[in-house]
Amino acid sequence: MITAEGYGLRGPRGRVFGDVSFSAPAGTLVAVEGPSGTGRTCLMLALTGRMKANEGRAEVHGHLLPRRMPAVRRISALGPVDGVSALEPALTVAEHLRERVLLQRRFFSRADRDRADVSAALAAAGLELDALVKGERTAVRDLERLEALRLGVALALLAHPRVLGVDDVDHKLGDADREAAWSMLRSVADAGTTVLGVCTRAPAGALVVSTGTAAPAAAAEMTYEADETAETAETDETEEGAVDAYTEARRA
């Protein structure tokens, strides 16, 4: 479950997003809606533990933000976010999948389970490798926009997250592809994962969360929790200063 009360982020250049209040049970499709430049992506990153908000409060599956950012990062995953978790255009679909599987491993090989996880993630994201122009050897730069979105979601689902953040769901998609993208994310939510989908126009049936009208310049800056292991210093509210939002979120 995700809850927020007066949740916001204010930087040296003004408010990035603010006055966000909502409650979303587990398995909810949440549409983070607003015009570009109103802090939509920053809100999604904050709710997945990648940015440190400094107004109001939020709680993600029992973890209070911003105090428990590392814990929230462990139960959440991101689809492609420019400057944070973007796909590598030169790598193939198979290379992305192989790399992500290796990152999920810890101390031992689990080949059979790896194959099962990949198959399940691809099915949940609706990505059919045989339908791609060069199958699994298709480079990301040769994927259609919807195909790249599906790949990013599949990679995120390999972590078995309780919360999934997806940026720019409806960006550069026609009506049919937009509906297909939301249908895919709705299926992921129906399976129990809370989905935070950043968009310009929310789909019918989603819980709509608006970022309001933050100053566009402010959305490029934020404060952050740099040390993932510093849970012993969770109450430290020291502002780390104005930094590039997406660069610092990537470090998290």
Side-chain angles (χ1 to χ4, degrees):
M1 182 173 186
I2 300 178
T3 60
E5 290 183 26
Y7 197 51
L9 172 57
R10 184 181 294 276
R13 297 187 186 182
R15 174 172 282 176
V16 179
F17 63 85
D19 296 325
V20 174
S21 299
F22 71 97
S23 179
T28 299
L29 176 60
V30 181
V32 183
E33 181 187 66
S36 179
T38 58
R40 305 171 308 173
T41 301
C42 293
L43 173 57
M44 183 267 288
L45 291 173
L47 290 172
T48 54
R50 273 78 176 176
M51 281 190 183
K52 187 176 182 180
N54 51 23
E55 295 180 345
R57 66 182 299 277
E59 188 173 316
V60 179
H61 288 286
H63 302 297
L64 191 64
L65 289 172
R67 294 182 179 180
R68 299 279 292 173
M69 287 175 64
V72 172
R73 286 197 291 272
R74 286 194 290 270
I75 63 169
S76 64
L78 298 178
V81 180
D82 285 345
V84 179
S85 57
L87 300 174
E88 172 53 55
L91 293 183
T92 67
V93 172
E95 288 168 337
H96 274 92
L97 290 168
R98 190 177 305 116
E99 178 185 57
R100 191 61 59 93
V101 164
L102 291 173
L103 288 173
Q104 295 303 318
R105 290 181 182 175
R106 291 298 181 264
F107 304 110
F108 56 90
S109 177
R110 47 174 197 172
D112 291 342
R113 184 172 177 185
D114 288 343
R115 285 192 291 270
D117 283 352
V118 169
S119 294
L122 291 173
L127 184 62
E128 299 180 7
L129 299 184
D130 291 342
L132 302 179
V133 61
K134 294 182 181 178
E136 66 177 14
R137 294 178 296 173
T138 304
V140 164
R141 61 171 167 257
D142 296 325
L143 295 176
E144 300 292 338
R145 161 65 182 154
L146 180 58
E147 292 170 340
L149 181 65
R150 291 188 189 278
L151 174 59
V153 169
L155 293 172
L157 291 176
L158 286 171
H160 303 285
R162 299 179 70 182
V163 178
L164 171 65
V166 183
D167 196 27
D168 287 334
V169 175
D170 53 4
H171 182 61
K172 293 184 178 180
L173 292 181
D175 291 342
D177 283 350
R178 185 184 303 114
E179 177 57 34
W182 284 117
S183 178
M184 177 260 294
L185 294 179
R186 189 174 288 108
S187 294
V188 171
D190 288 344
T193 301
T194 304
V195 177
L196 301 169
V198 174
C199 62
T200 301
R201 187 178 69 195
L207 172 62
V208 180
V209 175
S210 175
T211 51
T213 55
E221 299 186 357
M222 46 77 79
T223 58
Y224 72 103
E225 184 75 45
D227 187 356
E228 283 193 35
T229 64
E231 292 196 60
T232 57
E234 288 171 343
T235 58
D236 183 7
E237 298 297 328
T238 302
E239 183 173 289
E240 298 290 336
V243 295
D244 182 84
Y246 301 112
T247 300
E248 298 304 337
R250 186 173 186 175
R251 291 178 61 187

